[in-house]
Amino acid sequence: MRKTITTIIITLLSLFCASAVHAIKHPSLLFTPERVAAARKAMKNDTVLANGWKSIKAEADNQRLKGDLRRLEYLALAYMMTDSSKYADKIKEILLNTAKVKSWGDREMLARNPAWRSELQMAHKSFQVAVAYDVIYNKLTPAERMEIARGMYDLAIEPLLGDWILEPTRIHSLNSMGHNWWTSCAGMGGLLALSVSNELPEARKGAEALIEVLPEWFDFAGDVLQRKPKTFDESGGMYESINYASFGVCEALLFRMAWLNSHPGAKIDDIPHIHLISDFFVNVCYPRSGQLYSINFGDSHKNVTGESSMILAYQMGDENPNTLWYINQIEPGQHREGYPRNTPMGFLYTPDLSKAPSTPNLSNSRLWKDFGWATMRDSWHKNATMLAVKSGMTWNHSHADANSLILFHKGVDIIKDAGNCSYAKPQYRNYFFQSDAHNVVKFNGEGQSRHQQYHGTMLPGSMSNLLDGGNIKYVLADGTVPMSQWMIRNFRHFLWIDNVIYVIDDLLSHEPGKFEWIWHPGGDAVKRGFDHEITNGNSSALIRPLYPRQLAYSDFVHDYPDDLYWEVHEAPAENMQDTEKYWSFHLPGITDRVKGVTAIILKDSVTQEELPVITRREGKDWIGLQVKHNGKVTDLYINQLADGRLMHLNSWIEADGWSTDAYMLAVSYPEGSNPADAKEIFIGHGSALRRNGDVYFSSLSKLNLIADENDGKLDIQVTGQPRINLKLKSSPSSLTVNGINTPVKKTGNLVNIKLYNKK
């Protein structure tokens, strides 16, 4: 008998010790005493923070009357800041009443097979309950704690964690719903489980399970069979649009932050992606006078930011100065899921912005190769010019916009994306998601297959070969596969030289038909002769088609039977209250092969009259342009043989004394000087450039190259192969290759350059 009693005592002590080891101290999740004390101190010298607290307290006082569960965080912070029982008592009343609720299930979700017992609204409510329960924990009796914990476990924790991560009830996988829903439902279910983990061992185990598997979401590498892309690009960033990248990451980091706060000193798996988040959101933003804009590819909006994710990443150790710059650009409340300082999380977690740099420490161009985005800008100053291009996945929140572009210039998106609307509206699936709503090329009136909205592209488009030589920038978009139902080739080259962006479309269809260029103006648009002029405030740009034909000069199109016709289409505006117009240009005849060259001329002012003089030129097997402006001449050549029509023969052309196999060649020189002395050269997909027997460039493989020589300093940007061995005619005193100072090695009058990127 004594032995039995001893065994029982030892067992009970073991259980008690185990419980003590796992017990967390309250409050310790997100509204910690340390954070509150720091914010209280900081707001004495920070009027923005002080005003933020006034707004938070006013909302908390309002919620003492309304008792809205979805605003519990305001009552929670007010209690932490004031220690006033009136806030804690209201929270306790709401939590005890909520614990008696039978279900938060959504009727539509429950009707699915198998039933989805949890969804986003349940996750949002769980966040509110978790932070509120955590802060009033010590005001509750043990019986009240258990009543709330048990009620919330049945109401939300078990459905959320049971649907998303725990066996034997899990119904979702990272392959099916592993985007923002996964982090929200699993993350907020885990946060609520963590808050009641002292009372319920099963909740504690659920939270422990989530902290263990959370890195799998960040590292998910995609799924070929279900055509789902990897979650994150190797350089950071998420294909689902800025809106859902911000939301998905934030929900994951909220749980991870709460775990680290409540488990001081705990060792958990590192997530390298956290350290890439800030630079992604900075690189896709557009600083301007007024509200910060972001690229709005997919289901996003220009005013959406990554503020909340960046703040959490910063406070978890990624103290990136670019984050401070970014937060300084944001207007309070511009994004409903942001963390302005008049919200509890923004009040507690916004870092000290006094050391924010004046501009980000980042290059002007960035490529996200894994999911097919690129940005190029002329500077990081406000109201500069930024070109954004996309040719990646189409599925879910990612639209049918392979090879599309958005152009920001002088504070506005002068060439824009049409946007999106509520997903339940027919305009979303019939227009905003489809190719018509984007700046792309269609064939016979068709864009990407409508099946791609739900089933995805068999293979995505791609972006590659980004070069930024300062005055010359280049990137290649390949949207062939998303349009493979109609096209064999659907390449779009973006070559930006000085104040002109050349959009070069290399198109080949399965059979003859009509090609159509879609343009969405971000302002007032009017046709003036050969140009499509767009004006918005101080911003103005001209869209000038040059090949295969120019726009018909006037409305007397019968006098220009071979030139491009134009049509103006009416479509729903993003606000769903108005309509707006977009333009399409198309050839009157049919063909199966086209080189489309469109010049986008960036005007310095709306009234600018002296514009680049662009002349169309052609020779044997090449088409081209000569551009004169401000005493500078640029000759652009496009090799008609280098578009895949030759299999084993190389694509040699002779053009104005140049001999090359390059797909594209651009040389710039002062007006009146000899082109042979050009110091600014772009070679697109070429292995050689010669003139009068002299070798100007040589490589066994075709490369993309920008060479700019100035005052004896040669700067080279080059892509195309992992192992590069090239020779370039030059006599520089110093050499920079892809931004890295490199010793000058010469053979005669040729500089020798060797690079090897094992990736």
Side-chain angles (χ1 to χ4, degrees):
M1 181 69 178
R2 183 176 299 173
K3 184 177 180 180
T4 302
I5 294 174
T6 301
T7 301
I8 292 172
I9 292 173
I10 291 173
T11 301
L12 290 173
L13 285 172
S14 299
L15 290 172
F16 174 79
C17 291
S19 176
V21 167
H22 292 289
I24 65 172
K25 181 181 178 180
H26 291 279
S28 67
L29 299 186
L30 295 171
F31 295 7
T32 66
E34 296 79 13
R35 286 279 169 196
V36 170
R40 187 185 288 116
K41 180 180 178 181
M43 73 178 187
K44 293 178 181 179
N45 300 309
D46 187 334
T47 56
V48 175
L49 204 61
N51 290 333
W53 162 241
K54 290 179 182 178
S55 176
I56 291 167
K57 185 176 182 300
E59 178 60 17
D61 290 332
N62 183 40
Q63 290 304 321
R64 284 187 59 232
L65 301 175
K66 291 187 175 181
D68 187 347
L69 175 73
R70 295 166 297 182
R71 308 286 280 180
L72 274 177
E73 60 185 304
Y74 289 87
L75 289 166
L77 183 57
Y79 173 59
M80 290 290 291
M81 288 286 289
T82 65
D83 198 33
S84 173
S85 295
K86 63 184 180 181
Y87 300 113
D89 291 343
K90 188 62 178 180
I91 292 172
K92 180 169 75 170
E93 174 191 327
I94 295 171
L95 293 184
L96 286 170
N97 288 335
T98 302
K100 298 179 175 65
V101 174
K102 296 301 181 184
S103 174
W104 273 344
D106 179 87
R107 180 179 301 176
E108 179 182 338
M109 298 297 173
L110 290 169
R112 298 183 176 188
N113 185 20
W116 293 26
R117 299 175 300 151
S118 58
E119 43 76 50
L120 290 184
Q121 292 306 312
M122 182 182 291
H124 298 333
K125 294 174 184 176
S126 295
F127 168 82
Q128 298 291 332
V129 171
V131 295
Y133 182 81
D134 181 46
V135 303
I136 70 160
Y137 186 86
N138 297 312
K139 292 280 290 184
L140 299 171
T141 66
E144 289 170 336
R145 294 172 190 164
M146 184 57 74
E147 181 180 353
I148 294 169
R150 175 51 61 189
M152 294 314 305
Y153 186 86
D154 294 339
L155 181 63
I157 297 171
E158 195 284 322
L160 286 165
L161 297 184
D163 277 8
W164 295 88
I165 67 169
L166 297 179
E167 296 293 353
T169 58
R170 179 179 59 82
I171 60 173
H172 300 295
S173 74
L174 291 176
N175 304 62
S176 56
M177 283 292 288
H179 43 85
N180 59 83
W181 274 61
W182 193 94
T183 53
S184 183
C185 292
M188 296 307 96
L191 182 67
L192 185 53
L194 190 59
S195 72
V196 302
S197 60
N198 289 352
E199 283 62 54
L200 301 175
E202 57 269 42
R204 183 190 71 239
K205 291 178 181 178
E208 290 171 348
L210 179 57
I211 200 64
E212 181 179 351
V213 302
L214 188 61
E216 292 185 41
W217 180 78
F218 286 91
D219 285 329
F220 182 74
D223 178 346
V224 174
L225 288 179
Q226 292 189 248
R227 301 174 185 170
K228 188 180 190 307
K230 63 191 299 186
T231 305
F232 285 91
D233 183 272
E234 66 177 8
S235 299
M238 187 181 181
Y239 77 97
E240 273 210 299
S241 81
I242 308 305
N243 188 33
Y244 289 104
S246 177
F247 174 59
V249 171
C250 177
E251 299 287 279
L253 296 189
L254 281 172
F255 172 73
R256 188 174 172 91
M257 172 74 81
W259 180 277
L260 291 173
N261 286 346
S262 59
H263 294 75
K267 301 296 183 183
I268 57 177
D269 288 345
D270 183 41
I271 300 177
H273 300 282
I274 293 175
H275 305 293
L276 302 173
I277 289 167
S278 292
D279 282 352
F280 167 65
F281 286 117
V282 174
N283 272 292
V284 296
C285 84
Y286 177 68
R288 54 190 291 275
S289 301
Q291 199 173 78
L292 180 75
Y293 279 173
S294 293
I295 296 170
N296 61 324
F297 289 133
D299 290 336
S300 193
H301 297 276
K302 290 180 294 188
N303 62 333
V304 168
T305 75
E307 179 187 30
S308 54
S309 297
M310 295 168 72
I311 286 175
L312 293 175
Y314 190 96
Q315 300 294 7
M316 294 167 71
D318 181 43
E319 296 184 357
N320 189 334
N322 295 332
T323 295
L324 307 181
W325 172 86
Y326 185 92
I327 297 171
N328 263 346
Q329 311 306 309
I330 298 173
E331 291 190 352
Q334 75 168 71
H335 178 203
R336 67 181 184 181
E337 291 164 359
Y339 283 168
R341 278 170 282 183
N342 61 354
T343 64
M345 287 297 295
F347 178 78
L348 293 177
Y349 283 91
T350 298
D352 178 7
L353 302 178
S354 62
K355 296 182 179 180
S358 57
T359 56
N361 182 24
L362 292 169
S363 62
N364 287 342
S365 298
R366 178 59 68 92
L367 171 68
W368 294 272
K369 190 173 182 179
D370 289 336
F371 68 99
W373 288 20
T375 57
M376 301 188 291
R377 67 184 82 218
D378 58 3
S379 82
W380 279 100
H381 297 300
K382 289 186 176 182
N383 306 318
T385 302
M386 182 177 84
L387 174 68
V389 184
K390 181 200 169 188
S391 190
M393 188 68 180
T394 296
W395 180 71
N396 197 37
H397 295 298
S398 187
H399 293 183
D401 53 2
N403 289 6
S404 188
L405 69 115
I406 302 171
L407 178 64
F408 296 92
H409 181 56
K410 295 191 178 297
V412 300
D413 47 340
I414 199 71
I415 300 177
K416 69 171 193 172
D417 187 279
N420 68 93
C421 69
S422 170
Y423 310 145
K425 294 185 179 297
Q427 292 91 335
Y428 173 75
R429 57 186 177 272
N430 293 330
Y431 173 65
F432 288 109
F433 194 95
Q434 307 305 329
S435 297
D436 279 334
H438 307 98
N439 301 299
V440 298
V441 179
K442 294 170 60 180
F443 180 73
N444 284 340
E446 299 287 348
Q448 292 176 233
S449 168
R450 294 173 64 89
H451 293 292
Q452 293 176 13
Q453 178 172 7
Y454 186 80
H455 298 287
T457 48
M458 183 174 65
L459 290 172
S462 65
M463 301 291 303
S464 63
N465 293 295
L466 176 71
L467 294 173
D468 188 342
N471 199 49
I472 302 176
K473 308 177 196 295
Y474 170 78
V475 74
L476 171 61
D478 180 3
T480 303
V481 176
M483 284 286 286
S484 58
Q485 186 173 358
W486 320 114
M487 295 189 193
I488 301 169
R489 293 175 70 86
N490 183 26
F491 292 99
R492 180 165 260 192
H493 304 260
F494 296 86
L495 178 61
W496 184 352
I497 303 177
D498 299 326
N499 62 339
V500 182
I501 299 171
Y502 303 95
V503 182
I504 298 123
D505 291 302
D506 180 349
L507 309 170
L508 177 63
S509 56
H510 294 287
E511 58 187 28
K514 290 190 175 183
F515 292 92
E516 178 184 8
W517 286 260
I518 304 296
W519 296 101
H520 288 264
D524 296 327
V526 63
K527 182 183 175 296
R528 299 190 189 279
F530 298 120
D531 294 334
H532 177 219
E533 184 176 41
I534 310 170
T535 303
N536 187 340
N538 295 322
S539 178
S540 184
L542 304 179
I543 298 175
R544 181 180 296 175
L546 295 162
Y547 289 98
R549 303 287 298 188
Q550 294 178 289
L551 281 175
Y553 187 73
S554 73
D555 290 336
F556 294 100
V557 293
H558 52 271
D559 290 337
Y560 309 93
D562 298 323
D563 287 345
L564 291 175
Y565 292 178
W566 66 93
E567 295 179 11
V568 181
H569 304 268
E570 191 165 290
E574 192 172 25
N575 63 17
M576 293 302 293
Q577 298 175 6
D578 304 310
T579 60
E580 62 185 22
K581 293 178 172 60
Y582 69 92
W583 293 56
S584 68
F585 306 150
H586 58 86
L587 285 169
I590 64 172
T591 183
D592 63 350
R593 187 186 292 271
V594 166
K595 293 293 190 309
V597 181
T598 303
I600 302 174
I601 302 171
L602 305 166
K603 297 177 67 174
D604 293 329
S605 68
V606 174
T607 59
Q608 179 184 351
E609 294 183 0
E610 186 180 345
L611 298 171
V613 177
I614 302 176
T615 305
R616 292 172 14 125
R617 304 178 65 240
E618 296 188 34
K620 180 174 170 47
D621 297 323
W622 62 269
I623 59 174
L625 305 169
Q626 185 169 82
V627 185
K628 295 182 179 181
H629 189 55
N630 291 337
K632 179 180 178 180
V633 179
T634 296
D635 294 326
L636 173 62
Y637 307 93
I638 300 172
N639 187 338
Q640 295 284 62
L641 300 178
D643 59 3
R645 70 183 67 193
L646 301 179
M647 183 174 182
H648 295 306
L649 299 176
N650 203 358
S651 50
W652 291 101
I653 59 169
E654 301 290 330
D656 293 340
W658 298 105
S659 177
T660 185
D661 65 347
Y663 183 96
M664 274 193 293
L665 170 66
V667 292
S668 297
Y669 49 93
E671 191 169 2
S673 66
N674 191 339
D677 298 326
K679 302 298 184 183
E680 195 174 47
I681 297 176
F682 167 75
I683 296 171
H685 198 68
S687 77
L689 178 64
R690 304 168 189 149
R691 188 181 183 94
N692 297 328
D694 281 348
V695 175
Y696 280 68
F697 164 74
S698 178
S699 164
L700 284 179
S701 56
K702 292 191 173 185
L703 305 174
N704 303 288
L705 177 138
I706 297 171
D708 186 2
E709 189 169 357
N710 189 15
D711 294 331
K713 298 178 181 179
L714 176 61
D715 180 68
I716 292 175
Q717 297 285 319
V718 60
T719 65
Q721 293 293 330
R723 190 183 292 275
I724 290 173
N725 186 354
L726 68 87
K727 296 178 176 63
L728 192 71
K729 183 179 180 180
S730 178
S731 300
S733 57
S734 65
L735 174 64
T736 304
V737 181
N738 290 347
I740 300 173
N741 291 325
T742 304
V744 178
K745 297 180 181 180
K746 295 191 65 179
T747 303
N749 66 346
L750 298 176
V751 175
N752 300 332
I753 298 168
K754 289 186 178 182
L755 301 172
Y756 182 37
N757 181 359
K758 293 182 180 181
K759 283 188 176 182

